[in-house]
């Protein structure tokens, strides 16, 4: 009799577990998920040595979402200003709340964190983040360089399509513009134009970066608006440095 009660209890427990799994399956199968398939970056170096960066990030949402954040390492510049977030031309308000249509900027020891609030459900949205960097360009007597990581190797999602438009404050010949890719990804296509270049890449893992070193003539700047910050920056030394990097 006791054995029969034990078997009945075991059967009931198994049935309960089975029903629990059945009821849990829909929430597991339809859990909130998102991807960031496309990232487009516009970079403009101004004639006073500043760098304006605008990043368009396309999110595909499966489920309900209300906020996102972006981490910008405190590295490679002296000051950041004019941080903004927008969507389809509508600016988000810089306000430290959780209200839809607002964003906030906070700091950690190593990064600026931009967080914005929205209301999205089973849809595709493109958010635009913009900021201006001071002290990001190394300015030498004859040559200047901007070395930046446009895709972090610690991103939360992989990127299907990456596009970069890099523009300088004046025109130059292609043999006066040098670009060096220091990236785990090797599928970038470069197109050179009179005042910069375009880059496109596909299927970039979240563990792969897009670090680009760009070298161009200092004469493109307004001489009265900039000063020499790296007097030892020379073309020959940069070329030797890149060759050593590739050999290593």
């Amino acid at each position: 009799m006791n054995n029969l009660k034990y078997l009945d209890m075991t059967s009931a427990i198994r049935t309960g577990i089975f029903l629990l799994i059945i009821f849990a399956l829909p929430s597991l199968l339809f859990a909130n998920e998102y991807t960031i398939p496309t990232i487009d970056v516009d970079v403009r170096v101004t004639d006073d040595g500043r760098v304006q960066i605008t990043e368009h990030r396309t999110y595909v949402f499966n489920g309900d979402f209300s906020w996102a954040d972006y981490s910008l390492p405190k590295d490679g510049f002296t000051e950041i200003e004019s941080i903004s977030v927008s969507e389809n031309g509508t600016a988000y308000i810089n306000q430290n709340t959780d209200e839809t249509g607002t964003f906030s900027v906070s700091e950690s020891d190593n990064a600026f964190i931009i967080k914005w609030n929205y209301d999205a459900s089973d849809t595709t949205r493109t958010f635009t983040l913009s900021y201006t960097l001071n002290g990001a360009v190394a300015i030498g007597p004859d040559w200047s360089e901007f070395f930046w990581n446009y895709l972090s190797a610690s991103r939360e999602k992989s990127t299907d399509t990456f596009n970069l438009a890099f523009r300088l404050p004046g025109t130059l010949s292609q043999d006066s513009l040098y670009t060096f890719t220091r990236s785990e990804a090797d599928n970038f296509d470069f197109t050179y134009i009179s005042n910069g270049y375009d880059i496109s890449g596909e299927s970039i893992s979240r563990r792969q970066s897009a670090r680009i070193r760009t070298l161009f003539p200092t004469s493109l700047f307004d001489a009265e608006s900039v000063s020499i910050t790296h007097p030892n920056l020379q073309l020959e030394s940069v070329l030797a440095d890149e060759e050593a990097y590739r050999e290593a």
Side-chain angles (χ1 to χ4, degrees):
M1 188 68 176
N2 290 338
N3 288 339
L4 182 59
K5 288 182 178 180
Y6 176 78
L7 290 174
D8 290 342
M9 185 177 296
T10 301
S11 177
I13 291 174
R14 288 176 177 171
T15 300
I17 293 174
F18 176 77
L19 291 174
L20 181 62
I21 293 174
I22 290 297
F23 285 117
L25 271 177
S27 61
L28 292 174
L29 291 175
F30 299 102
N32 286 3
E33 183 58 86
Y34 72 96
T35 59
I36 309 177
T38 303
I39 296 178
D40 297 324
V41 183
D42 296 322
V43 180
R44 294 190 177 276
V45 181
T46 60
D47 62 1
D48 60 359
R50 297 186 301 167
V51 181
Q52 300 170 345
I53 297 180
T54 302
E55 182 170 333
H56 309 278
R57 299 167 64 88
T58 298
Y59 287 68
V60 177
F61 297 109
N62 178 16
D64 299 327
F65 292 85
S66 60
W67 64 272
D69 60 8
Y70 177 92
S71 179
L72 177 65
K74 294 179 178 178
D75 186 27
F77 59 93
T78 59
E79 183 183 11
I80 185 171
E81 60 186 17
S82 303
I83 299 174
S84 67
V85 178
S86 63
E87 184 182 2
N88 294 327
T90 301
Y92 279 49
I93 301 172
N94 188 351
Q95 185 174 306
N96 190 20
T97 70
D98 293 330
E99 293 184 15
T100 299
T102 66
F103 78 97
S104 61
V105 181
S106 59
E107 295 184 48
S108 67
D109 291 338
N110 302 314
F112 292 96
I113 295 93
I114 305 171
K115 179 185 175 183
W116 63 100
N117 304 292
Y118 52 86
D119 184 13
S121 179
D122 298 327
T123 187
T124 298
R125 304 272 286 272
T126 298
F127 304 102
T128 300
L129 286 73
S130 300
Y131 49 88
T132 298
L133 303 175
N134 293 321
V137 178
I139 303 176
D142 300 310
W143 295 90
S144 297
E145 74 169 11
F146 180 59
F147 198 168
W148 196 250
N149 187 8
Y150 300 99
L151 289 176
S152 169
S154 57
R155 303 191 313 285
E156 68 273 26
K157 299 293 181 180
S158 297
T159 305
D160 294 337
T161 303
F162 169 70
N163 296 299
L164 169 67
F166 186 95
R167 301 294 182 262
L168 291 164
T171 61
L172 72 171
S173 60
Q174 186 174 331
D175 58 4
S176 296
L177 178 61
Y178 294 83
T179 56
F180 308 96
T181 304
R182 291 194 178 186
S183 172
E184 298 82 0
D186 57 1
N187 54 345
F188 292 131
D189 293 324
F190 283 74
T191 301
Y192 293 93
I193 59 178
S194 62
N195 64 334
Y197 58 85
D198 295 324
I199 295 178
S200 61
E202 296 182 351
S203 302
I204 304 170
S205 164
R206 64 186 181 88
R207 295 182 176 87
Q208 294 177 320
S209 64
R211 298 171 62 220
I212 310 295
R213 185 180 193 179
T214 305
L215 190 72
F216 52 90
T218 300
S219 59
L220 292 176
F221 292 125
D222 176 13
E224 296 183 357
S225 301
V226 300
S227 57
I228 304 303
T229 59
H230 290 67
N232 296 322
L233 179 60
Q234 299 292 336
L235 173 61
E236 294 76 13
S237 61
V238 173
L239 294 177
D241 181 39
E242 288 300 318
E243 174 134 7
Y245 171 79
R246 275 152 182 72
E247 288 179 356

